[in-house]
Amino acid sequence: MLEEARDTLDLSNRQLAGVPPEVWRRASLRVLNLYRNELTSIPVEIALLTALEVLICANNRLSTLPEEFGVLSRLRTLDLGHNQITELPQSFGKLTGLADYLYLHDNRLRVLGESVFENLAELRYLNLGDNPLERLPASMGTLTKLEELRLENVGLETLPGWIGGLGHLDELALRNNALAALPESLAGLDNLTRLDLRGNRFTAVPSVVRHLPRLRKLDMRWNNLSEVPGWVSELAARGCRVLL
């Protein structure tokens, strides 16, 4: 049975191989939850739900998304985590309403279009973790409202300099990559309180970390640190929890 709430529909954990056709007739839907089903695709009829603000499709078997996705300009939260998505449609950048959460983690994304994020300036949370990304698109540098950015286990060897322009970041998660250094621009993250660098290739604590005024947790475990500079004690003295 479909839930009867006028603007919310929860179809999670139903073992659905397809979305019931009557869903597309509910044009007033604001929240659609399709979490943990057996969906392999989202039909083009998704474009009929123009009032959607929250769409949860996590833990399915999705490999592609239709171009019609871009019609959902009122979406504020989109969860596509734990699927098999290999690329995002060209229309993805039209999701200008995304302001709360965008989950794309644990998919098969290798390449993201350079402009994919350029119109998502209001986004506050982005999770791209556990994707075999070849690089980060330059348009990520326009996400100046981001408060949390998760790039865990994406194969990063370098962190682009534009990271320093994301001045609202509170948490930056870079666990399990191949980083050996951080850009000096990172010093521009005046609001950063949590920095996770576990499981990378650092041999020393990056000096730029010293200049993060609000840092409250630095995690550098599972690296091969050969030296710990004296200024690290300054971090601890000002209330930063340092894990080495």
Side-chain angles (χ1 to χ4, degrees):
M1 292 289 292
L2 301 184
E3 299 292 337
E4 295 300 325
R6 183 168 57 89
D7 60 0
T8 299
L9 181 58
D10 185 354
L11 293 175
S12 60
N13 293 291
R14 305 291 181 95
Q15 298 183 321
L16 296 174
V19 181
E22 57 266 34
V23 170
W24 313 124
R25 295 195 289 270
R26 299 183 61 166
S28 63
L29 274 182
R30 293 174 54 250
V31 179
L32 176 57
N33 186 353
L34 296 168
Y35 173 78
R36 199 182 291 281
N37 280 292
E38 303 293 331
L39 302 177
T40 58
S41 65
I42 299 293
V44 298
E45 285 82 3
I46 190 73
L48 298 174
L49 303 183
T50 54
L52 269 186
E53 296 179 11
V54 177
L55 177 58
I56 302 172
C57 297
N59 291 79
N60 278 278
R61 299 181 181 180
L62 302 176
S63 58
T64 60
L65 301 172
E67 282 295 333
E68 287 75 9
F69 230 74
V71 174
L72 306 178
S73 60
R74 294 188 184 182
L75 272 186
R76 297 182 60 85
T77 290
L78 176 58
D79 189 351
L80 295 167
H82 305 293
N83 278 287
Q84 302 168 23
I85 299 169
T86 58
E87 62 180 348
L88 300 178
Q90 289 287 330
S91 64
F92 200 85
K94 296 180 180 179
L95 300 177
T96 54
L98 281 177
D100 295 333
Y101 299 92
L102 176 54
Y103 298 90
L104 292 168
H105 58 293
D106 191 20
N107 276 285
R108 299 178 182 176
L109 296 167
R110 288 188 176 277
V111 177
L112 294 172
E114 286 300 313
S115 62
V116 66
F117 296 116
E118 66 182 12
N119 296 318
L120 309 186
E122 300 300 313
L123 190 62
R124 295 188 295 112
Y125 175 101
L126 175 59
N127 190 342
L128 285 170
D130 295 292
N131 280 288
L133 293 175
E134 295 178 1
R135 66 181 184 278
L136 300 178
S139 60
M140 284 182 67
T142 67
L143 302 179
T144 55
K145 299 287 185 67
L146 275 186
E147 298 173 10
E148 185 169 341
L149 177 57
R150 310 199 72 84
L151 296 169
E152 298 150 313
N153 193 33
V154 296
L156 283 180
E157 295 183 0
T158 60
L159 194 61
W162 49 249
I163 195 74
L166 306 184
H168 280 81
L169 271 188
D170 174 76
E171 180 170 359
L172 178 57
L174 297 166
R175 177 169 53 89
N176 291 346
N177 281 289
L179 298 169
L182 295 176
E184 290 301 312
S185 65
L186 199 80
L189 301 183
D190 291 340
N191 291 297
L192 196 68
T193 66
R194 290 168 288 177
L195 179 58
D196 187 352
L197 299 173
R198 284 177 291 172
N200 278 276
R201 298 179 181 175
F202 293 97
T203 58
V205 181
S207 60
V208 68
V209 172
R210 185 179 188 180
H211 305 295
L212 298 172
R214 298 188 181 180
L215 197 63
R216 292 295 175 263
K217 183 177 181 181
L218 171 63
D219 197 338
M220 294 199 67
R221 290 174 291 176
W222 317 332
N223 283 281
N224 294 313
L225 300 179
S226 58
E227 57 177 300
V228 178
W231 55 261
V232 169
S233 61
E234 298 174 12
L235 294 180
R238 71 186 195 208
C240 178
R241 185 184 182 197
V242 179
L243 302 172
L244 304 175

